[in-house]
Amino acid sequence: MSLSEAAFMSATVYAGASQMVGIELFGHHVQAWLIVLSILAVNFRHVLYSAALARYIGHFTPVQKFFTFFLLVDPQFAAAVKHGEAGRSLTFAWYFGFAIIIYIPWILTSIAGGLLGGFIGDPKAIGLDILLPAYFLGIVLGFRKRDNFLPVALVSAVASVFAYRYVGSPWHVSLGAAAGIVLAALLPLPPQEPDLEADALQSEVHEV
């Protein structure tokens, strides 16, 4: 690929893992439908991301939702969910502003990588291959205080390892996620904390 083609791919295929899978399959002359299916398996988690964000973006217009989902990457999802769970209104201006801070450097660093990557040689020789797993692990640990985090994360990780061993990449990503979802659905809901503000407001109404 030329530098301009690589930059265009980063701008339109806004997903690093999908790019890596796609480029690897391109090099082996795999049929197009299999490449699309493999990339879908890697990025299936974005279906889950979208579902989790639905409660916070219901007021967005269709055009805003289009850009919301195009710009929906892992750190964007983590920041948006934490923003919404904190009780703050998730506006499109906030979402888009946060997204651009990631998207523009993504393209610029893709160009820089295309220009300078040839000087690196084998990334595994200097440990660069660990960056992507460490990056995802950091995002996952950001949710470690949520209820049932440990069993869900553990089951998902174990299932992913087994799927990688017996099914292969990239299907282990979706299968590991599916195992975590099934367990999360089966676990009992955590007890709801009393809404002290609502109770106080109800008491005032009764007094009036």
Side-chain angles (χ1 to χ4, degrees), residues 4-193:
S4 59
E5 289 172 338
F8 180 74
M9 184 178 184
S10 285
T12 54
V13 184
Y14 188 33
S18 295
Q19 287 195 44
M20 294 173 66
V21 170
I23 289 174
E24 182 178 353
L25 294 177
F26 290 154
H28 289 84
H29 305 289
V30 177
Q31 295 183 5
W33 69 268
L34 186 58
I35 295 176
V36 172
L37 192 61
S38 299
I39 291 176
L40 178 63
V42 173
N43 265 358
F44 184 77
R45 68 187 187 281
H46 287 264
V47 176
L48 309 178
Y49 288 174
S50 302
L53 277 180
R55 72 186 77 174
Y56 305 118
I57 63 170
H59 58 287
F60 286 9
T61 67
V63 174
Q64 290 174 337
K65 288 180 180 178
F66 171 82
F67 287 103
T68 296
F69 294 133
F70 174 76
L71 296 168
L72 182 57
V73 290
D74 303 290
Q76 182 79 20
F77 166 75
V81 167
K82 289 182 179 179
H83 189 88
E85 288 182 345
R88 291 173 286 183
S89 176
L90 185 60
T91 64
F92 181 72
W94 180 92
Y95 187 97
F96 189 77
F98 191 94
I100 288 299
I101 293 174
I102 305 174
Y103 183 67
I104 298 300
W106 164 263
I107 299 174
L108 296 178
T109 51
S110 295
I111 296 173
L115 290 171
L116 305 175
F119 295 102
I120 296 177
D122 184 8
K124 294 182 180 179
I126 55 177
L128 286 181
D129 58 318
I130 196 63
L131 290 180
L132 192 61
Y135 156 75
F136 278 111
L137 183 61
I139 292 178
V140 170
L141 289 177
F143 292 93
R144 64 189 180 278
K145 295 183 179 179
R146 301 186 70 170
D147 295 308
N148 298 326
F149 168 82
L150 187 58
V152 170
L154 183 61
V155 166
S156 182
V158 172
S160 182
V161 170
F162 272 90
Y164 183 84
R165 174 65 177 82
Y166 295 105
V167 181
S169 177
W171 303 102
H172 66 291
V173 177
S174 297
L175 293 174
I181 293 170
V182 170
L183 178 63
L186 294 175
L187 290 174
L189 293 174
Q192 297 293 325
E193 296 182 0

